[in-house]
Amino acid sequence: MFNLIRMNLYRMVRTKGLWIVMLCMAGFGALTSAMAAADLDVVDYYEGEWYEEPDDGFGITVGAPVGADGDALSFLEFYNSNLSSGLLLLFLSIACAIYYSGEIKSGFLKNIAGQTKHKADIFLSKTVVNMLYILLMLLVYGMVLYTSFRLMLPKRYTFRFGTEYWQETLLLVLVLYVLHLAFAGGVAFLTTVFKSATVGITVGLLSAFGLPAVFMAYLKRFLDVDFVKLLVSANVNGMRIGVAHKDVIFALGVGIITSIVYYFLGAVYFTKKDVV
């Protein structure tokens, strides 16, 4: 198993597409900071409260970069707001599909499958490496956001790190990490089953944009059951600073259970299918 993890880690490092995705994500983080800085100059103040555009349920939405007191958000608030928007799910969909489909044409499986006692270990070793990639995404995005937001913040605002939120942010980032891992599990499973990065990317992007939540909302009208709260993407959107503790625990449970289901099904399918 250790050798498989090492081999998959080497394959990840050598896959240019993954680093292109990481670079695009970093660039988008800088762009987000620039847009936030611009918003601080034009955001509307309405009846004593800062006005934000309503969320129509589809798409990626990041809240206005100002707090209730009219001052700029601290870095930790801004970072958490970006993560909970589901922005990283877009890039994760692409990166995960590239990684899990990259071996199909490379001949990697043909050389390894016959030498591995348990075929499921091949799939699970990729999962371990994917866990490291997701962690790296969170760290890189945080560093880019910190640097760019600090440099681009208008001079009339005082940059604050937000140390008062560090414990809550740490917990939320941990839960968001598990939810992102679960989301990647779904993309990995679809990519493995259909042997197509296109399928994984398409379904991943639509899920990140909230299309399943829109369907579930309409389904609730007929069945009177709220399935939206069971969606990984919906729980990602809810992990903002100030969220109720019970919602954090529920989201963590959704992430863990969904991860187990997706990766178990992926490992079983990979074990049963023929390697061609």
Side-chain angles (χ1 to χ4, degrees):
M1 184 66 169
F2 177 76
N3 288 333
L4 286 173
I5 293 175
R6 188 172 61 177
M7 293 179 67
N8 277 288
L9 183 60
Y10 175 80
R11 188 168 66 86
M12 183 193 77
V13 173
R14 299 283 293 181
T15 303
K16 295 180 180 179
L18 296 180
W19 303 114
I20 292 175
V21 171
M22 188 76 74
L23 183 62
C24 291
M25 180 198 69
F28 206 90
L31 177 62
T32 300
S33 297
M35 294 173 65
D39 284 345
L40 287 170
D41 290 328
V42 299
V43 68
D44 296 324
Y45 191 70
Y46 178 71
E47 293 185 354
E49 294 183 357
W50 289 95
Y51 175 77
E52 295 183 12
E53 291 293 334
D55 183 6
D56 61 3
F58 184 78
I60 302 297
T61 302
V62 180
V66 289
D69 57 357
D71 197 7
L73 293 179
S74 65
F75 162 70
L76 290 183
E77 290 177 292
F78 186 55
Y79 177 54
N80 181 258
S81 178
N82 272 260
L83 293 185
S84 62
S85 71
L87 187 62
L88 263 62
L89 296 179
L90 302 178
F91 299 99
L92 181 58
S93 299
I94 301 171
C96 189
I98 290 175
Y99 178 62
Y100 277 84
S101 65
E103 63 187 18
I104 296 176
K105 297 179 180 180
S106 66
F108 176 82
L109 285 180
K110 296 179 182 179
N111 297 329
I112 299 302
Q115 305 175 31
T116 305
K117 184 176 181 180
H118 303 289
K119 286 176 59 179
D121 289 347
I122 299 177
F123 183 86
L124 295 177
S125 64
K126 291 187 291 184
T127 299
V128 173
V129 174
N130 199 41
M131 291 172 65
L132 297 176
Y133 185 81
I134 295 173
L135 180 60
L136 185 61
M137 288 183 73
L138 293 174
L139 293 174
V140 170
Y141 193 74
M143 289 188 293
V144 171
L145 216 60
Y146 174 83
T147 303
S148 54
F149 190 57
R150 182 163 191 168
L151 293 175
M152 298 177 186
L153 190 69
K155 293 183 178 180
R156 71 173 183 271
Y157 294 99
T158 302
F159 177 83
R160 296 180 300 114
F161 184 78
T163 52
E164 67 271 28
Y165 300 113
W166 77 267
Q167 288 184 318
E168 185 177 5
T169 300
L170 185 62
L171 175 61
L172 291 175
V173 171
L174 174 62
V175 176
L176 284 166
Y177 174 73
V178 176
L179 289 171
H180 280 69
L181 180 62
F183 186 88
V187 175
F189 176 68
L190 290 173
T191 302
T192 301
V193 170
F194 291 97
K195 297 182 180 179
S196 170
T198 303
V199 173
I201 291 174
T202 301
V203 175
L205 292 180
L206 291 177
S207 299
F209 281 129
L211 186 60
V214 174
F215 285 127
M216 293 298 183
Y218 281 106
L219 188 62
K220 182 181 177 180
R221 299 180 180 181
F222 301 98
L223 301 181
D224 197 29
V225 178
D226 188 9
F227 291 106
V228 175
K229 62 182 181 181
L230 301 178
L231 297 175
V232 171
S233 57
N235 280 277
V236 168
N237 297 150
M239 292 300 99
R240 300 175 182 269
I241 288 179
V243 64
H245 186 68
K246 63 180 181 64
D247 294 331
V248 176
I249 299 301
F250 183 83
L252 180 61
V254 170
I256 292 174
I257 294 174
T258 305
S259 294
I260 292 174
V261 171
Y262 276 140
Y263 290 113
F264 174 77
L265 291 176
V268 171
Y269 177 81
F270 190 87
T271 301
K272 299 299 182 181
K273 79 181 186 73
D274 294 329
V275 177
V276 293

